[in-house]
């Protein structure tokens, strides 16, 4: 499964859980979601700004985004959502932007420009979802559904 599909499936599940009142984000959830959303926004900018960067910088930003998701301190459904999101983003850990120079790469492979773009778009989708979870409207909307 690719990064985009993995994140999209997780986002859809989270949105459904909120709509069904199975998951009503707590104040702590909203606080962590807001911080994670801000960290993702800071790590991965607009499509235009990302595409202007070197491959080394793009990969660095993707790894910063993965770290922001993986290092969030939370429990319960948000922790499960973020953990699964981190797992979906792990292919970036196997990418390299530097030439191999005829040495071992520990299995790291250069991603295509399309893979960079897809990973960045998936992170933006995750960021938007976390920003929504962070708002009190997420709770209100789940109660109105």
């Amino acid at each position: 499964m690719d990064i985009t599909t993995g994140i999209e499936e997780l986002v859809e599940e989270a949105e459904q859980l909120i709509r069904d009142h199975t998951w009503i984000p707590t104040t702590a959830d909203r606080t962590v979601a807001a911080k994670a959303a801000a960290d993702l926004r800071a790590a991965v900018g607009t499509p235009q700004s990302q595409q202007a960067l070197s491959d080394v910088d793009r990969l660095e930003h993707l790894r910063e985004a993965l770290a922001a998701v993986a290092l969030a301190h939370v429990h319960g459904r948000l922790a499960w959502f973020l953990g699964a999101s981190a797992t979906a983003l792990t292919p970036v850990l196997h990418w390299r932007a530097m030439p191999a120079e005829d040495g071992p790469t520990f299995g790291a492979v250069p991603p295509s420009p399309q893979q960079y773009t897809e990973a960045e778009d998936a992170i933006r989708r995750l960021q938007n979802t976390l920003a929504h979870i962070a708002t009190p409207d997420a709770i209100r909307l789940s109660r109105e559904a």
Side-chain angles (χ1 to χ4, degrees):
M1 176 182 322
D2 65 13
I3 292 172
T4 302
T5 302
I7 293 295
E8 190 59 38
E9 288 177 359
L10 293 168
V11 164
E12 288 173 8
E13 182 178 354
E15 290 171 345
Q16 186 65 46
L17 290 171
I18 290 170
R19 275 193 306 274
D20 291 347
H21 312 286
T22 303
W23 177 17
I24 299 174
T26 65
T27 301
D29 287 343
R30 292 194 319 268
T31 300
V32 171
K35 180 173 180 348
D39 291 347
L40 292 178
R41 189 178 321 105
V44 175
T46 65
Q48 298 80 9
S49 68
Q50 289 301 116
Q51 290 174 0
L53 298 173
S54 70
D55 288 349
V56 171
D57 289 335
R58 286 179 87 176
L59 184 54
E60 179 182 334
H61 289 202
L62 289 168
R63 289 182 175 163
E64 286 174 13
L66 174 58
V69 171
L71 297 176
H73 297 279
V74 69
H75 304 283
R77 291 191 196 284
L78 184 59
W80 304 332
F81 175 62
L82 291 174
S85 296
T87 299
L89 295 170
T90 59
V92 304
L93 297 174
H94 302 284
W95 294 351
R96 63 177 169 83
M98 306 288 288
E101 298 180 9
D102 298 326
T105 64
F106 303 97
V109 297
S112 69
Q114 181 179 349
Q115 286 175 299
Y116 279 118
T117 300
E118 289 171 356
E120 292 159 352
D121 288 345
I123 288 168
R124 285 186 204 94
R125 176 72 166 115
L126 179 59
Q127 184 271 323
N128 287 335
T129 301
L130 289 165
H132 176 72
I133 290 169
T135 66
D137 286 345
I139 295 170
R140 183 179 53 78
L141 293 174
S142 72
R143 290 183 180 146
E144 292 174 359

